[in-house]
Amino acid sequence: LTLAAVTIADNGAIFRCRVSNSAGSILSATATLTVTATPANGLTARYFNQYAGLTSPVVLTRVDPQVNFDWAFASPAPGTVGADNFSVRWTGQVQAAFTETYTFFTQSDDGVRLWVNNQLLIDRWQHQGGTEWSGTVAMVAGQRYDIRLEYFEGGAGALCRLLWSSASTTKQAIPTSNLFPEGS
């Protein structure tokens, strides 16, 4: 039996199957459908209406599927986060696809810091135009590692991207399927 478009509201539904042929029919035992919510993949993002400080108040918390943003001169969340002088902290876990050394890249227009497995890989907390930085860390396939990316936008253009590569992975934005928000 295949059910299309199952939702949380379908949890607890009871099903039985009847199989029939020329000799008669038989009814199966009951089966109860269990539907569980899968948390959205990505990183937990906390946005602040100040740059460089990353202190309260947090004006927006959400799960960003990837860190692959070019806001240019716009706001990441109009009406909530300013278009200039804001900061973001993304936290969660990243899961390696292969047992290899990974190179993590940030592309940012202003300051950026990146920790993977509590190791500071990139520390460029400074005003800068669009610039790429990198750092490496050995990872084991299937294992999750804590990750924290901090970014500030001090004026003019706003850009923040988080990419990776390895011997088996072409340089790309880290796929959503490899990112997990806090508490997942």
Side-chain angles (χ1 to χ4, degrees):
L1 175 63
T2 302
L3 301 173
V6 173
T7 68
I8 291 292
D10 297 315
N11 189 52
I14 296 175
F15 294 90
R16 293 182 81 167
C17 292
R18 180 176 305 276
V19 179
S20 302
N21 65 18
S22 60
S25 67
I26 188 167
L27 192 60
S28 74
T30 61
T32 303
L33 178 65
T34 302
V35 181
T36 55
T38 302
N41 279 36
L43 295 176
T44 302
R46 289 179 178 82
Y47 289 79
F48 305 84
N49 270 332
Q50 56 179 297
Y51 83 91
L54 293 162
T55 57
S56 29
V58 173
V59 297
L60 174 65
T61 301
R62 68 184 186 195
V63 173
D64 286 335
Q66 291 182 302
V67 180
N68 191 13
F69 298 104
D70 185 352
W71 295 291
F73 299 98
S75 163
T80 304
V81 178
D84 286 316
N85 302 316
F86 67 87
S87 55
V88 188
R89 178 182 292 125
W90 289 276
T91 55
Q93 294 183 313
V94 60
Q95 185 174 15
F98 304 97
T99 299
E100 298 177 335
T101 296
Y102 280 79
T103 301
F104 286 81
F105 302 88
T106 59
Q107 297 171 350
S108 65
D109 181 341
D110 289 314
V112 65
R113 293 187 288 231
L114 174 66
W115 291 261
V116 176
N117 201 26
N118 298 313
Q119 179 182 351
L120 182 61
L121 299 183
I122 299 169
D123 187 7
R124 297 300 178 169
W125 204 246
Q126 62 201 32
H127 290 276
Q128 60 192 350
T131 308
E132 182 173 274
W133 303 100
S134 65
T136 61
V137 64
M139 298 172 75
V140 175
Q143 186 169 328
R144 292 184 186 181
Y145 297 85
D146 289 339
I147 188 167
R148 182 173 84 206
L149 175 64
E150 297 178 342
Y151 164 77
F152 83 84
E153 199 294 301
L159 162 74
C160 190
R161 292 190 175 109
L162 178 61
L163 305 96
W164 70 355
S165 70
S166 71
S168 302
T169 306
T170 58
K171 184 177 176 182
Q172 60 183 294
I174 299 175
T176 302
S177 60
N178 294 85
L179 297 173
F180 301 88
E182 291 176 5
S184 64

